[in-house]
Amino acid sequence: MPKMVYVHIDTTSNAVLSRGINPVSFYQGIVHQPKNLLLLDPSSDYGEYESHTGMKILKGEEAVKQYFEALARHRITETVKWIDFTDPAMLKELTPLEISELLYFGHMKTQLHSPFFYKLQNNFVYFDLQDDLSRVYYRYLDEYYRILADKLTYMVLEKINDRKSFFRKSAPVDKLKVSLLQEMKGLFQEGIIFSFETATNENGQLSIPIYLVADAGLRKTNLLHDDEYLVAHLIYNQTNRQWRLDYTEKDLLFFSN
């Protein structure tokens, strides 16, 4: 189980930089399932060749599903980077300038203009980065909150039951509400870590510390033991099966606006 989940949201471009959420967690959590994928690696060994763009594509929801199943089984070793699209016929309508912009996007992993292309009608652009990081552009940020809620719920379920004996029934965990995460919008814009490494489980309450970090601080794991960066706790009460947020200071409540 990952020891932490890192989240930084850029609300200008709807880009989410995160750690601890892999492509499979992404695919299982989204509502707008991709109909087709344009792979942003021109040398990709996966998919079928599309002559107009010179890139590989996956056509149809079944092909997309098989792609993510292959990722889950670690059968794809190349860097995961793609953009979804609605209508394969519209690929033929892309201008040389638009194709070059897509190639730049795939190479630099950052957009020149909008990450959402009118002709593609894409909902996502997905990039795996180094060190278990990903950058994903969401047309609808609510999609990410759902993915994060599912991931945190699952991690709490594992944490609560990690010392259960084989003969004891696992304790259930009610799903974390998206609305509770949406209250943290301001903190997500600053960059935060949910630290399961330093979580405590006392008196029927699992308490997960939340630390405020900048991008550069992501590798400084010692800050996860420094109360100076501690801004809140995400708490799951196992008795009444309810979630809540406890902020370390009342002044931090402005981040939820």
Side-chain angles (χ1 to χ4, degrees):
M1 184 181 77
K3 293 183 178 180
M4 68 175 184
V5 174
Y6 168 75
V7 182
H8 182 269
I9 298 179
D10 178 358
T11 53
T12 302
S13 61
N14 277 17
V16 180
L17 184 67
S18 61
R19 171 182 279 175
I21 298 178
N22 60 31
V24 178
S25 297
F26 163 86
Y27 181 71
Q28 292 174 342
I30 57 177
V31 172
H32 296 89
Q33 295 283 341
K35 297 179 179 178
N36 311 280
L37 297 183
L38 177 65
L39 304 182
L40 294 174
D41 181 0
S43 61
S44 175
D45 294 326
Y46 209 82
E48 60 181 270
Y49 180 74
E50 201 287 313
S51 59
H52 183 68
T53 60
M55 290 186 273
K56 298 289 186 67
I57 64 171
L58 299 171
K59 291 174 63 177
E61 293 182 18
E62 184 58 32
V64 173
K65 179 183 176 182
Q66 291 175 5
Y67 174 73
F68 282 99
E69 287 176 348
L71 285 173
R73 298 188 180 100
H74 305 288
R75 293 179 179 175
I76 297 177
T77 57
E78 63 193 36
T79 302
V80 179
K81 50 182 179 179
W82 53 262
I83 183 170
D84 66 305
F85 63 96
T86 301
D87 185 357
M90 291 304 294
L91 292 178
K92 305 293 185 184
E93 302 298 322
L94 291 171
T95 66
L97 182 61
E98 289 168 330
I99 294 171
S100 65
E101 188 172 339
L102 283 166
L103 289 169
Y104 175 89
F105 204 177
H107 180 67
M108 299 302 294
K109 300 181 181 178
T110 186
Q111 79 280 10
L112 278 172
H113 301 104
S114 170
F116 305 105
F117 293 74
Y118 174 74
K119 291 177 183 177
L120 300 181
Q121 290 294 296
N122 62 299
N123 290 313
F124 312 101
V125 191
Y126 192 105
F127 295 106
D128 256 354
L129 308 176
Q130 60 183 3
D131 298 327
D132 195 32
L133 283 167
S134 65
R135 178 182 293 116
V136 185
Y137 295 82
Y138 294 84
R139 184 180 292 273
Y140 309 105
L141 272 177
D142 282 356
E143 294 265 30
Y144 178 73
Y145 287 117
R146 278 190 287 268
I147 294 167
L148 182 59
D150 287 346
K151 184 66 177 181
L152 293 174
T153 301
Y154 180 74
M155 292 176 74
V156 166
L157 178 66
E158 283 198 322
K159 190 76 173 178
I160 287 174
N161 292 292
D162 64 350
R163 295 184 180 178
K164 294 284 186 183
S165 71
F166 178 79
F167 299 100
R168 292 184 63 186
K169 186 178 179 180
S170 296
V173 172
D174 281 16
K175 185 175 178 179
L176 173 59
K177 291 183 179 179
V178 169
S179 58
L180 190 64
L181 292 177
Q182 289 172 329
E183 291 179 17
M184 301 172 63
K185 177 182 177 181
L187 287 173
F188 289 140
Q189 290 176 261
E190 298 294 321
I192 62 171
I193 283 175
F194 296 88
S195 175
F196 282 79
E197 180 182 2
T198 55
T200 59
N201 193 356
E202 298 176 353
N203 301 319
Q205 289 195 140
L206 182 68
S207 180
I208 305 146
I210 301 172
Y211 295 90
L212 191 66
V213 296
D215 292 351
L218 187 57
R219 295 175 179 84
K220 299 177 182 178
T221 55
N222 59 312
L223 66 79
L224 300 185
H225 303 275
D226 190 338
D227 287 347
E228 179 183 351
Y229 299 95
L230 181 65
V231 292
H233 288 86
L234 177 64
I235 297 173
Y236 181 73
N237 187 309
Q238 298 170 56
T239 302
N240 59 26
R241 295 167 66 172
Q242 291 185 353
W243 298 80
R244 73 174 191 273
L245 277 169
D246 280 358
Y247 292 93
T248 55
E249 298 178 17
K250 289 184 179 179
D251 290 345
L252 287 167
L253 290 174
F254 81 92
F255 278 112
S256 64
N257 295 327

